[in-house]
Amino acid sequence: MVQALDKRRSRLSPERESELYQAVMELLTEVGYDALTMDAIAARTHSSKATLYRQWKSKPALVATALRHTKPVSLEDIDTGSLRGDLREMVQCGDEARERDAALMRGLALAAHQNPDLLEALRELLITHELGAFDMLLKRAVDRGEVAPDRPALKYTVHLLLGAFTTRSLVEAKEPDADYLFDYIDAVILPALGVLSPASP
């Protein structure tokens, strides 16, 4: 499915793709997923609705692809030489966008639970790709000898990291800023993986 979508998108120039993805994100921020329509996207991007459907097949697929191509952090590009450095780089690179898009992402999370087709598209076009890149980040830490390959917390690391992003607003009514996330990495994630950090005893 992803390869097929990539082939269809290849008809557009990279600059045109980027403009279109940015427009989708702007509309999502303005009206939310449920009120977003392909007609509105076509009007904002000066495209025909038929072209959008030919290129991306559906609104969920277009939204998921736009999220993937406008995400602030490319995990494949992060390799600082240490697990702590990699995790901190993830947090630091996404800090500005996280503050700006917090409400948008909460809205999309709710929409995904209410729209199975959106959840499927997000998993296929975004989440699976990101999980693969994060697994490679952890594998490098194992290969470097930082983390034991049989460490039980390895398979839960992504859950721990997502928990840091999603629960602070519920528990403390605060957004998870960089300082909070840096501390969480040192106090929770690294100790769970057996990695020494400034917070280790």
Side-chain angles (χ1 to χ4, degrees):
M1 176 70 172
V2 175
Q3 291 180 346
L5 287 172
D6 285 341
K7 289 178 181 177
R8 286 196 292 271
R9 285 202 309 271
S10 66
R11 299 174 186 173
L12 300 177
S13 69
E15 294 78 13
R16 179 60 174 151
E17 279 192 61
S18 179
E19 290 174 3
L20 197 143
Y21 295 142
Q22 290 296 334
V24 170
M25 297 305 295
E26 289 171 4
L27 281 167
L28 274 173
T29 302
E30 292 169 15
V31 304
Y33 178 80
D34 289 333
L36 179 68
T37 65
M38 294 295 263
D39 286 306
I41 296 172
R44 178 68 63 90
T45 60
H46 306 290
S47 307
S48 72
K49 191 164 64 170
T51 297
L52 297 178
Y53 277 111
R54 184 172 62 251
Q55 296 287 324
W56 287 278
K57 190 176 179 180
S58 68
K59 182 177 83 168
L62 175 52
V63 168
T65 307
L67 285 167
R68 175 175 170 179
H69 284 268
T70 58
K71 59 188 175 69
V73 182
S74 177
L75 295 183
E76 297 93 334
D77 296 335
I78 294 178
D79 187 0
T80 66
S82 73
L83 179 59
R84 183 174 187 259
D86 288 349
L87 294 175
R88 288 174 66 91
E89 184 72 7
M90 286 175 57
V91 167
Q92 189 166 350
C93 287
D95 193 40
E96 180 180 346
R98 183 174 54 255
E99 293 179 4
R100 184 188 66 231
D101 298 337
L104 169 63
M105 299 312 295
R106 283 195 293 269
L108 276 174
L110 178 60
H113 285 289
Q114 297 173 338
N115 298 272
D117 54 348
L118 174 61
L119 181 58
E120 180 181 358
L122 288 172
R123 284 175 172 163
E124 183 176 359
L125 297 169
L126 177 66
I127 296 172
T128 298
H129 177 268
E130 293 298 291
L131 288 177
F134 190 71
D135 285 344
M136 289 302 300
L137 185 150
L138 294 177
K139 183 179 183 300
R140 288 198 300 269
V142 172
D143 292 343
R144 287 192 297 260
E146 289 183 273
V147 182
D150 59 349
R151 190 75 182 185
L154 264 174
K155 63 181 179 180
Y156 300 115
T157 305
V158 69
H159 302 80
L160 289 171
L161 193 57
L162 286 174
F165 284 95
T166 58
T167 58
R168 194 187 194 196
S169 60
L170 295 174
V171 176
E172 301 179 49
K174 297 179 180 178
E175 295 299 332
D177 57 19
D179 289 339
Y180 167 83
L181 291 169
F182 286 160
D183 186 57
Y184 185 94
I185 289 168
D186 288 341
V188 179
I189 296 179
L190 294 181
L193 294 174
V195 179
L196 290 176
S197 74
S200 301

